[in-house]
Amino acid sequence: MNSRRAFLVWGIAVLAYVLAVVQRSTLGVSGVDAQERFAVSAAVLSTLAVVQIAVYAALQIPVGIALDRFGPRRLVLLGAVLLVVGQAVVAVSPTIGPAVVGRVLVGAGDAMTFISVIRLLPMWFSGRILPQISQWTGNLGQVGQVLSAFPFALLLHTTGWGTAYGVAAGAGAVGLVLAFAVVRNGPVPVRTGAIPLPHSWGGALRTFAHAVRRPGTQLGFWSHYVTQSSGTVFSLLWGVPMLRGLGYTPTEAAGFLTVIVVTGFVAGPLLGVLCARYPLRRSNLVLGCVALLAVVWTAVLTWPGQPPTWLLVLLVVAMGIGGPGSLIGFDFARSFNPVGALGSANGLVNVGGFLAAFVMMYLVGTILDAASQATGQTVFAWANFRIALTVQYVVVGFGVAMLLHARHRTRRVLHEQEGIRVGPLWVALVARLRKRGVQ
């Protein structure tokens, strides 16, 4: 555990996740090109992204159950295959129909990658390094967003749609070969004790049912829901069109997306350290991320006329903090579930942010079309985005209310089971959790 081989396996698994993020986020930087290529409305374009995210979210629970049944290696490999095939289909799609099929495959492959890599971590690492490794996993994965924002965008605008998406598929194939050669489930075979896995689908389903009922899992779900969704909507679909509507060039828009990733590299390790040191203050960190996003979005949307560049930079910085903040949800899942249920628990948590994201993606596209017809302006005009993006307050506000409810239930259970109130005695709870093997 925590050996050189562990870091090698983790590194290749993270590479697989980076390439999954590349495939996931290519549509975000090619949204305007996609609308022109397929000659579709904003609502139909949003459907292309929503289908991908909906498939991703819908598969999280089945994938989580499968992870507890088979372990992460098989699902990392299957996910890589689906991602390569999906991007290849998009590369050759002449109309929107085949492109939707391709993005469905991308969503399915993407659904298997991140939670499989997260599930792999306790099989190779232990101790206080786990929260920090989790944060580094999430942050390094977002390098894929930078690769789609610059090299992919450059290919798209110089060589065309087919070549750009074909190269993305080829990069995924390289990652598939490396993962096949290096990634393993643990330092010893799974069945001989590296990590407990159910021996039947019935056992896996019971494991999932127990994970769902735990308030700590639900707290992780709503934490992910409220922190990740805004940045996902911005990065995967509507960010670049919004910035183009504000008059920024494609290169400048890609630069804003890069700021999100760079911010995550700074904020992620810090949040990991804070989670390890103050485990009973993790929900406050989540609420702090949400409050920051709410304040900056309100300033952007209510600014008279066009918001200044410095304020938009603050916005992407806030979203860059929200991304690592969403990983706290997986820390809740790890703390309040036995290791054999982490696949199910992580799958459920990962549904949160993407559920909120695809709801907002679709609503934003629908409102953009309606606002364009009402005002007579082009679809991607800033005035239309100013209206459409207010849906975040409703969707995320609901999630905050549910998070507070889940936090209350989690604290009540902790008090009943451990005899500890949340407060100065948090150190005692940490000692109890470690004694029970929850790191």
Side-chain angles (χ1 to χ4, degrees):
M1 303 288 277
N2 299 1
S3 63
R4 290 183 179 179
R5 188 184 177 198
F7 281 98
L8 175 61
V9 171
W10 173 66
I12 298 301
V14 168
L15 176 61
Y17 176 45
V18 169
L19 294 172
V21 174
V22 171
Q23 321 304 345
R24 176 201 301 173
S25 55
T26 48
L27 184 61
V29 298
S30 60
V32 175
D33 301 83
Q35 188 188 33
E36 295 173 353
R37 177 181 176 87
F38 301 127
V40 294
S41 67
V44 174
L45 180 61
S46 70
T47 301
L48 188 62
V50 165
V51 166
Q52 174 189 335
I53 300 301
V55 170
Y56 182 102
L59 286 179
Q60 287 305 293
I61 290 173
V63 168
I65 295 172
L67 275 171
D68 287 333
R69 178 73 178 88
F70 298 114
R73 170 180 156 82
R74 293 183 185 180
L75 273 76
V76 168
L77 297 177
L78 178 58
V81 170
L82 292 174
L83 285 162
V84 170
V85 174
Q87 285 293 73
V89 170
V90 174
V92 299
S93 296
T95 61
I96 191 69
V100 169
V101 174
R103 296 312 285 186
V104 165
L105 294 174
V106 169
D110 191 16
M112 299 178 184
T113 307
F114 177 66
I115 63 170
S116 296
V117 177
I118 288 291
R119 179 70 159 90
L120 197 66
L121 300 185
M123 304 172 81
W124 286 96
F125 298 95
S126 61
R128 296 186 66 179
I129 195 175
L130 262 175
Q132 297 180 56
I133 288 288
S134 295
Q135 284 289 344
W136 277 112
T137 299
N139 292 329
L140 287 170
Q142 299 315 304
V143 171
Q145 189 169 300
V146 177
L147 295 177
S148 64
F150 284 105
F152 175 81
L154 180 63
L155 274 175
L156 180 68
H157 297 126
T158 57
T159 64
W161 181 278
T163 300
Y165 274 91
V167 169
V174 172
L176 169 61
V177 172
L178 290 174
F180 179 81
V182 175
V183 174
R184 296 293 183 271
N185 282 335
V188 294
V190 170
R191 297 297 184 191
T192 62
I195 193 168
L197 295 177
H199 291 270
S200 68
W201 282 109
L205 290 171
R206 285 190 293 273
T207 297
F208 168 73
H210 289 306
V212 170
R213 288 196 293 268
R214 292 186 180 98
T217 306
Q218 297 168 23
L219 179 59
F221 173 93
W222 293 112
S223 297
H224 197 266
Y225 180 104
V226 297
T227 48
Q228 194 211 41
S229 50
S230 180
T232 299
V233 170
F234 190 90
S235 299
L236 294 194
L237 185 60
W238 293 124
V240 170
M242 185 194 91
L243 293 167
R244 295 286 295 275
L246 286 168
Y248 293 94
T249 66
T251 301
E252 291 169 337
F256 279 101
L257 297 181
T258 303
V259 171
I260 296 177
V261 179
V262 173
T263 302
F265 275 110
V266 177
L270 176 60
L271 288 174
V273 171
L274 291 174
C275 286
R277 293 188 63 183
Y278 305 105
L280 291 192
R281 294 293 177 260
R282 290 174 293 184
S283 59
N284 291 341
L285 294 173
V286 171
L287 291 172
C289 292
V290 177
L292 176 62
L293 283 165
V295 169
V296 181
W297 266 118
T298 300
V300 170
L301 296 178
T302 59
W303 192 273
Q306 179 171 316
T309 299
W310 66 263
L311 183 56
L312 294 173
V313 171
L314 282 181
L315 175 64
V316 293
V317 166
M319 287 188 284
I321 296 172
S326 70
L327 297 177
I328 297 174
F330 298 102
D331 209 44
F332 284 127
R334 185 174 61 250
S335 296
F336 296 106
N337 285 275
V339 70
L342 286 183
S344 297
N346 287 338
L348 183 65
V349 167
N350 210 30
V351 170
F354 290 97
L355 173 64
F358 79 69
V359 170
M360 288 195 289
M361 279 181 181
Y362 179 75
L363 290 176
V364 168
T366 301
I367 296 172
L368 281 174
D369 282 337
S372 176
Q373 293 174 4
T375 62
Q377 296 179 303
T378 59
V379 173
F380 296 149
W382 170 237
N384 299 335
F385 272 109
R386 193 194 296 269
I387 298 170
L389 289 168
T390 58
V391 301
Q392 296 177 95
Y393 295 97
V394 177
V395 177
V396 177
F398 171 75
V400 170
M402 297 303 295
L403 184 151
L404 293 173
H405 177 66
R407 182 172 73 167
H408 174 74
R409 292 182 60 234
T410 303
R411 287 178 170 180
R412 185 175 62 192
V413 169
L414 283 174
H415 177 56
E416 292 173 353
Q417 293 181 349
E418 305 290 347
I420 295 175
R421 294 185 181 278
V422 175
L425 296 179
W426 67 270
V427 176
L429 175 60
V430 174
R432 281 178 169 81
L433 290 175
R434 288 179 177 164
K435 186 176 181 181
R436 289 160 49 189
V438 180
Q439 299 293 336

